[in-house]
């Protein structure tokens, strides 16, 4: 790829996940310093976990996960995929920084702030978007396998889950992590690198 053409970075997210939110702010930090073009896609923790044996309180939480991904898909279908980044930013800011609930007002405010039709909030309660949610989710998850969560990232054919990190890496640290993640992900035969999380998500 010519040096003056940004490298596509495909990013699958679920607005529910605070860890994906941190990673999304990191990749935007990288985009400020490197010629990459982040392309946003929906995935769903509700779909990922629907057939898994998970704690009941987590399953109850996932019941709220359908609304935001349905609204994202509805916006994508009406306006095109280029609107997903700014809609995700509006949703994530309200959810993770302001601790708002996924209700009608949340969706209308997020859509309006993103310059989109607030009537798309209707999609939160419509199963008519579920097939598209599942298709987008499958597209991302098929690149990495089932034993992961959100986000999924693919860069030049190298797909991976994560990175899971807190707080948001900034400046030189963001680029250093990006280079390191790509070095690992592009290594033939590499599959896993993990350690136990000892901190809660920080959105600083």
């Amino acid at each position: 790829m010519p040096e003056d053409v940004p490298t596509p970075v495909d990013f699958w997210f679920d607005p529910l996940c605070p860890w994906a939110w941190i990673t999304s702010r990191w990749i935007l930090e990288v985009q400020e310093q490197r010629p990459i073009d982040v392309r946003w896609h929906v995935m769903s923790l509700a779909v990922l976990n629907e057939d898994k044996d998970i704690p009941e309180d987590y399953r109850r939480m996932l019941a709220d996960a359908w609304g935001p991904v349905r609204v994202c898909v509805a916006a994508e279908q009406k306006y095109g995929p280029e609107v997903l980044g700014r809609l995700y930013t509006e949703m994530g800011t309200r959810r993770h920084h302001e601790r708002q609930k996924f209700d009608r007002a949340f969706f209308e405010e997020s859509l309006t702030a993103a310059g989109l039709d607030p009537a798309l909030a209707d999609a939160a309660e419509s199963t008519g978007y579920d097939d598209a949610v599942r298709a987008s989710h499958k597209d991302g998850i098929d690149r990495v396998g089932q034993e992961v969560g959100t986000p999924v990232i693919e860069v030049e054919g190298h797909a991976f889950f994560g990175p899971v990190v807190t707080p948001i890496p900034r400046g030189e640290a963001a680029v250093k992590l990006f280079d390191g993640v790509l070095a690992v992900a592009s290594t033939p035969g590499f599959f896993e690198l993990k350690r136990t999380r000892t901190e809660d998500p920080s959105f600083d």
Side-chain angles (χ1 to χ4, degrees), residues 94-103 105-106 109:
R94 286 166 175 75
R95 175 69 178 187
H96 302 299
H97 294 264
E98 301 172 10
R99 306 294 185 182
Q100 293 187 24
K101 295 185 295 185
F102 290 140
D103 57 15
F106 173 95
E109 291 172 8

